[in-house]
């Protein structure tokens, strides 16, 4: 998977911009001895925004963009001049991307359709200038608000493929062969297990110029929900499929037993998967005659529709398309983006090579484009009792004198 262009799991470090500080400026001009406060507000910090892009199918661009930092807001100045807002960072992701907190594994948000924008991290608000605090009893406020600190978070992005039909089965069940027979997709086909190492998508043509999307998921084995084989890595892609097509070869020892194993693995991974429409396809049916087909039919489960197919000869392919289309267009079925509950990531459902990535950036480091001290690393004791780090209204101590570097005119 290291050399593949299909990346569906990425861990990155994001940080929004911090707000600019408000100005403590006083108006000074000739013949105006007491101009009063006119310090402007600081600009807000930049946001981190996720935007869905239907033309993207992988998280590969983010694999080499591990640090995403938004711009900081600029400080206010005299004449009630507001500081410039920090630059927002818009990160385009494929539709079906789910975001988790890398530290706790908690589900944060998801992007499901093209053009959808989700504000992942909010930029810090800019501080108010001293002209906001003037009053009849306080005509020369010598304090202003500093900007709010930035929000920094390590997140995990997971891609869950959006498709109408998802193929579920053991290795070498004929899933890739079926996809190549009904669509223009050309997945790798070979006579050994786990030939498919990443999900493959194909557009299946139907009657009257209609079509639907079919996804080939790597083979699932017993114990996949516990981390065995490749199933654990790709089981999450089945969550986004509207219909599940179970494929079991006709030469299997016990078709009903294998079907129960597959259903149990889906139940262990996410019980909501059992609420989806399920269809059973008996592949490689060209090896069976009419008598054997009737014998196999008696052993099949009664609670699921089934079709005998052969991707090589074309047997049952038209009937399978009809059954799939009726399931997809069913009023009770949610197309493409079903409502699912994303469970929190635990240690057994993480990708080791991504989670062991070491960020070279350390929280609290001073940015090269910042001037002065970093406000997010200064405790409340530094500013005095009136400075509340966590509150909405925090300000300078009244004993602080105006900055000597503030521009002023000659009083002569």
């Amino acid at each position: 998977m290291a050399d593949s262009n299909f990346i569906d799991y990425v861990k990155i470090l994001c940080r929004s911009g911090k707000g600019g500080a408000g100005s403590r400026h006083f108006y000074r001009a000739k013949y105006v001895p007491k101009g009063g406060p006119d310090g402007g507000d600081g600009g807000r910090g930049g946001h981190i925004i996720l935007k869905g892009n239907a033309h993207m199918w992988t998280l590969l661009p983010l694999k080499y963009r591990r640090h995403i930092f938004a711009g900081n807001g600029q400080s206010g100045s005299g004449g009630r001049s507001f500081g410039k807002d920090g630059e927002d960072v818009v990160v385009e992701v494929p539709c079906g991307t789910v975001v988790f907190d890398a530290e706790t594994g908690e589900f944060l948000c998801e992007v499901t359709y093209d053009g959808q924008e989700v504000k992942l991290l909010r930029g810090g608000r800019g501080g108010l200038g001293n002209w906001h605090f003037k009053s009849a009893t306080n005509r020369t406020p010598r304090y202003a608000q500093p900007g709010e600190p930035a929000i920094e978070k390590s997140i995990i992005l997971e891609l869950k493929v959006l498709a109408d039909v998802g193929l579920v089965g053991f290795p070498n069940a004929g899933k890739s062969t079926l996809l190549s027979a009904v669509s223009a997709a050309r997945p790798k086909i070979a006579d050994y297990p786990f030939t498919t190492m990443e999900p493959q998508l194909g557009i299946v043509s139907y009657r009257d110029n209609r079509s639907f999307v079919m996804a080939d998921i790597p083979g699932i084995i017993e114990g996949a929900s516990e981390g065995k084989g490749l199933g654990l890595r790709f089981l999450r892609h089945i969550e986004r499929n509207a219909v599940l097509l179970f494929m079991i070869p006709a030469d299997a020892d016990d078709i009903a037993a294998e079907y129960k194993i597959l259903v149990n693995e889906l139940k262990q991974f996410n019980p909501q998967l059992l609420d989806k429409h399920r269809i059973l396809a008996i592949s490689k049916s060209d090896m069976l005659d009419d008598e054997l087909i009737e014998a196999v039919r008696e052993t099949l489960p009664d609670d699921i529709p089934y079709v005998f197919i052969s991707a090589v000869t074309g047997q049952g392919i038209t009937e399978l398309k009809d059954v799939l289309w009726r399931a997809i267009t069913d009023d009770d079925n949610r197309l493409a983006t079903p409502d699912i509950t994303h469970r929190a990531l635990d240690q057994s459902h993480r990708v080791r090579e991504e989670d062991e990535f070491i960020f070279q950036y350390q929280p609290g480091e001073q940015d090269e484009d910042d001037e002065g001290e970093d406000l997010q690393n200064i405790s409340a004791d530094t500013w005095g009792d009136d400075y509340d780090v966590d509150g909405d209204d925090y300000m300078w101590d009244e004993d602080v004198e105006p900055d000597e570097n503030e521009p002023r005119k000659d009083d002569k």
Side-chain angles (χ1 to χ4, degrees):
M1 290 301 298
D3 298 332
S4 173
N5 287 333
F6 181 80
I7 304 298
D8 58 354
Y9 185 105
V10 171
K11 180 180 179 181
I12 59 178
L13 178 67
C14 296
R15 190 194 67 188
S16 62
K18 61 183 179 182
S23 174
R24 295 173 291 121
H25 190 269
F26 289 86
Y27 180 75
R28 292 178 178 86
K30 197 172 184 179
Y31 307 120
V32 185
K34 297 181 180 180
D38 67 343
D41 302 343
R44 69 159 177 86
H47 304 310
I48 302 293
I49 301 174
L50 299 181
K51 183 177 181 181
N53 187 344
H55 299 287
M56 295 179 63
W57 66 282
T58 175
L59 295 173
L60 181 64
L62 295 177
K63 182 176 177 63
Y64 304 102
R65 188 184 176 188
R66 300 292 187 152
H67 299 159
I68 299 179
F69 298 154
N72 295 327
Q74 295 184 0
S75 301
S77 57
R80 297 187 183 181
S81 297
F82 292 176
K84 182 181 179 181
D85 291 342
E87 183 177 359
D88 297 337
V89 176
V90 179
V91 181
E92 293 189 345
V93 296
C95 298
T97 300
V98 185
V99 185
F100 298 91
D101 190 321
E103 302 298 332
T104 63
E106 179 186 2
F107 167 74
L108 298 178
C109 62
E110 60 180 333
V111 180
T112 56
Y113 58 88
D114 184 42
Q116 179 184 4
E117 292 189 356
V118 177
K119 187 182 296 182
L120 181 62
L121 296 180
R122 181 181 61 85
R125 291 178 296 180
L128 299 178
N130 62 345
W131 72 279
H132 285 279
F133 306 108
K134 65 180 181 179
S135 65
T137 58
N138 186 12
R139 307 184 67 178
T140 57
R142 298 181 182 274
Y143 49 81
Q145 287 182 338
E148 285 186 341
I151 301 176
E152 188 173 271
K153 188 179 292 293
S154 180
I155 64 172
I156 290 176
L157 300 179
E158 271 194 356
L159 174 61
K160 298 183 180 181
V161 172
L162 297 175
D164 299 317
V165 179
L167 301 180
V168 182
F170 288 98
N172 284 3
K175 301 186 296 297
S176 299
T177 304
L178 174 64
L179 183 64
S180 63
V182 299
S183 69
R186 292 296 176 262
K188 183 179 179 180
I189 301 174
D191 58 351
Y192 55 85
F194 297 109
T195 306
T196 302
M197 298 295 291
E198 59 188 44
Q200 301 287 336
L201 295 179
I203 300 178
V204 181
S205 300
Y206 191 60
R207 297 187 179 95
D208 301 328
N209 295 324
R210 293 174 292 183
S211 63
F212 56 89
V213 180
M214 180 178 291
D216 178 16
I217 308 298
I220 299 174
I221 64 176
E222 187 173 4
S225 59
E226 301 175 357
K228 296 181 180 179
L230 295 176
L232 179 63
R233 179 76 180 267
F234 300 105
L235 272 173
R236 59 176 172 267
H237 295 294
I238 303 178
E239 293 181 324
R240 290 295 189 188
N241 302 148
V243 178
L244 300 181
L245 177 60
F246 289 80
M247 294 193 61
I248 300 177
D251 57 353
D253 296 335
D254 191 340
I255 296 179
E258 291 193 4
Y259 171 73
K260 291 181 180 179
I261 293 175
L262 293 173
V263 172
N264 183 64
E265 293 302 322
L266 299 186
K267 180 180 179 181
Q268 295 296 328
F269 182 77
N270 189 343
Q272 286 186 312
L273 293 177
L274 301 184
D275 298 334
K276 297 179 180 292
H277 283 235
R278 287 173 282 169
I279 299 172
L280 177 60
I282 312 301
S283 61
K284 306 178 184 179
S285 296
D286 55 315
M287 299 186 300
L288 305 178
D289 54 18
D290 295 339
E291 183 178 352
L292 289 177
I293 289 179
E294 291 298 327
V296 172
R297 196 188 303 271
E298 296 178 357
T299 62
L300 298 179
D302 299 331
D303 58 343
I304 180 175
Y306 54 85
V307 181
F308 288 86
I309 65 170
S310 174
V312 177
T313 63
Q315 173 188 349
I317 297 299
T318 302
E319 181 183 357
L320 177 63
K321 289 183 180 180
D322 294 336
V323 174
L324 291 175
W325 184 258
R326 287 195 297 268
I328 293 173
T329 57
D330 192 344
D331 294 337
D332 297 334
N333 204 14
R334 303 291 297 274
L335 294 179
T337 56
D339 291 334
I340 59 176
T341 301
H342 303 280
R343 66 176 185 180
L345 292 180
D346 52 28
Q347 293 301 324
S348 61
H349 293 82
R350 294 175 180 262
V351 180
R352 178 180 176 184
E353 59 269 22
E354 290 291 337
D355 281 357
E356 291 182 352
F357 177 79
I358 301 176
F359 295 109
Q360 296 181 359
Y361 172 83
Q362 297 296 330
E365 286 185 355
Q366 180 65 38
D367 298 334
E368 295 179 1
D369 57 347
D370 289 345
E371 296 179 1
E373 291 185 289
D374 193 348
L375 292 178
Q376 64 177 333
N377 296 325
I378 300 178
S379 63
D381 296 337
T382 306
W383 299 123
D385 296 335
D386 292 332
Y387 181 75
D388 182 9
V389 178
D390 298 327
D392 294 332
D393 296 325
Y394 42 91
M395 59 188 62
W396 295 79
D397 190 84
E398 295 187 11
D399 295 334
V400 179
E401 294 295 332
D403 191 352
E404 297 178 357
N405 296 326
E406 288 183 351
R408 63 180 68 207
K409 296 184 178 180
D410 192 1
D411 293 332
K412 294 190 296 182

